[in-house]
Amino acid sequence: MLNNKSILITGGTGSFGRAFTKYVLEHYEPKKIIIYSRDEFKQFKMQNEFSASPSKLRFFIGDVRDKERLCRAFEGVDYVIHAAALKQVPTCEYNPAEAIKTNIHGAQNVIDAALDMGVKKVVALSTDKAVNPVNLYGGTKLVSDKLFIAANAYAGAKDICFSIVRYGNVAGSRGSVIPFFHDILQKGGTELPITDYRMTRFWISMQQGVELVVKALEEARGGETFISKIPSFKITDLAEAMLPGCGKPEVGIRVGEKLHEIMVPVEDSLNTYEYDRHFIVYPQMVWSENRRVIPTGRKVPEGFSYSSGNNTEWLSVEDIRRLLGTVHFE
């Protein structure tokens, strides 16, 4: 499906962009992959990382806040993966106007540029924090999600669709609990602080995140939210897996933090279908005849929700210890 296609990734020098680029180059023969981002040094490092495929990669310096630059970058592009965002919760809380400019206004710029420049498909990366948000980052991503879903209403006769992929922190990603614990252990610590003993999280690898985006590119018809079915773990079990018998002082939940990651809220159960390896939340509104429910799924019962706290698949301490061996720390 991605053979001979031009693909652009906003925020493409991030961990997702690098992993997605590697996956596409290994499994497909794209016409080109455009890395669109603000940081010239990260682009330089990525050019060196992918030096074996220089003819396939293009690097654009640009910000999603700059619609004119987006339009220039989107010329001739078939698929756009929107991964650019301000993501650190404390940073967004302290700089709310900047988070809004990037995460909301930037999302609208991506939509407008895609509509104007003839892009075929746009997949936007979302987060569990967009569901029932309790912090500004989650609030901006909720608005972003709504914008991308509603963008299908403005497509008219254009051959374009917008969809969303939602997942939580990737195992080992910056700012998440695994590297936090890892840093403590690297410094000789013997205790791993737990914000709340009841806390749970989903475990998703970067590979799974990339594969879900590819599935969205293959299957989306407009307005769907794709969510992987992945296992949960208890934070206390993670601490035990990383340092058996360690002290686990409970230090209190942080501002803007949730006990559990929520991917499908109860309110979306009326439009959610379950498949073998993922869920799809279909849009409430229908904009064209292209909108369809993929027939291999089954509708979830009314009142259903999907969170790391009510999951049916759980990792044991031994499972976590085994998976930690696959984690790449940035």
Side-chain angles (χ1 to χ4, degrees):
M1 183 201 66
L2 300 180
N3 290 336
N4 201 36
K5 300 296 184 183
S6 295
I7 306 157
L8 183 144
I9 312 166
T10 68
T13 56
S15 55
F16 171 85
R18 299 195 312 275
F20 184 82
T21 298
K22 182 174 184 290
Y23 183 92
V24 172
L25 290 174
E26 289 177 350
H27 292 83
Y28 300 93
E29 291 292 336
K31 183 177 180 180
K32 61 183 174 181
I33 301 174
I34 301 169
I35 307 301
Y36 184 94
S37 68
R38 300 180 302 173
D39 193 320
E40 61 178 329
F41 180 62
K42 287 182 179 179
Q43 289 196 3
F44 171 74
K45 289 175 64 177
M46 190 169 175
Q47 282 178 298
N48 290 333
E49 182 181 351
F50 291 93
S51 58
S53 304
S55 64
K56 297 288 186 181
L57 298 186
R58 305 287 188 275
F59 290 86
F60 264 63
I61 293 291
D63 197 314
V64 294
R65 299 182 184 187
D66 185 344
K67 180 184 172 183
E68 184 177 352
R69 182 61 170 164
L70 281 170
C71 286
R72 176 71 67 183
F74 282 15
E75 287 186 16
V77 168
D78 298 296
Y79 302 144
V80 169
I81 314 300
H82 178 51
L86 291 181
K87 301 173 183 176
Q88 295 297 318
V89 170
T91 299
C92 291
E93 293 296 322
Y94 192 71
N95 303 277
E98 299 305 305
I100 290 168
K101 289 174 186 176
T102 296
N103 297 353
I104 296 178
H105 298 163
Q108 187 63 57
N109 287 338
V110 169
I111 290 166
D112 290 340
L115 287 168
D116 293 344
M117 302 309 298
V119 172
K120 303 298 183 186
K121 285 193 175 185
V122 179
V123 175
L125 301 192
S126 182
T127 169
D128 65 284
K129 296 175 182 65
V131 180
N132 302 334
V134 296
N135 53 56
L136 185 79
Y137 168 55
T140 61
K141 292 301 287 183
L142 170 63
V143 175
S144 174
D145 288 358
K146 297 293 187 182
L147 288 172
F148 277 102
I149 291 171
N152 292 279
Y154 298 95
K158 293 182 174 68
D159 180 21
I160 185 173
C161 79
F162 299 84
S163 61
I164 296 166
V165 162
R166 178 183 295 153
Y167 52 79
N169 285 327
V170 172
S173 61
R174 286 174 297 183
S176 61
V177 65
I178 295 175
F180 174 66
F181 283 175
H182 178 74
D183 288 345
I184 292 174
L185 298 179
Q186 290 293 102
K187 296 173 183 176
T190 58
E191 292 187 337
L192 296 177
I194 310 295
T195 54
D196 192 295
Y197 290 145
R198 298 167 293 172
M199 187 166 289
T200 66
R201 289 293 181 263
F202 283 110
W203 186 290
I204 186 169
S205 67
M206 183 58 74
Q207 175 85 0
Q208 290 172 305
V210 167
E211 289 174 350
L212 188 62
V213 169
V214 173
K215 178 170 282 294
L217 285 171
E218 291 174 342
E219 297 184 356
R221 293 296 178 270
E224 302 93 339
T225 301
F226 291 76
I227 299 153
S228 284
K229 295 168 70 173
I230 47 180
S232 295
F233 64 92
K234 298 177 181 178
I235 299 299
T236 51
D237 286 346
L238 172 66
E240 186 65 23
M242 297 185 75
L243 185 61
C246 68
K248 305 179 187 68
E250 190 174 32
V251 297
I253 198 165
R254 296 177 297 177
V255 174
E257 191 174 35
K258 293 180 181 179
L259 285 178
H260 311 292
E261 291 181 331
I262 305 172
M263 298 293 182
V264 181
V266 171
E267 293 77 11
D268 281 340
S269 62
L270 295 176
N271 302 293
T272 301
Y273 283 71
E274 181 178 3
Y275 299 84
D276 286 343
R277 297 178 58 187
H278 63 287
F279 297 96
I280 297 179
V281 181
Y282 288 95
Q284 296 181 23
M285 299 178 64
V286 179
W287 300 283
S288 76
E289 295 178 357
N290 286 336
R291 195 273 198 189
R292 64 180 177 86
V293 172
I294 298 171
T296 54
R298 66 175 182 85
K299 192 174 183 304
V300 302
E302 185 176 348
F304 169 87
S305 67
Y306 183 53
S307 84
S308 60
N310 68 6
N311 201 357
T312 58
E313 183 181 0
W314 289 84
L315 297 174
S316 67
V317 172
E318 287 302 317
D319 293 331
I320 297 170
R321 189 171 293 130
R322 173 179 52 81
L323 288 171
L324 284 169
T326 67
V327 172
H328 171 70
F329 295 98
E330 298 184 4

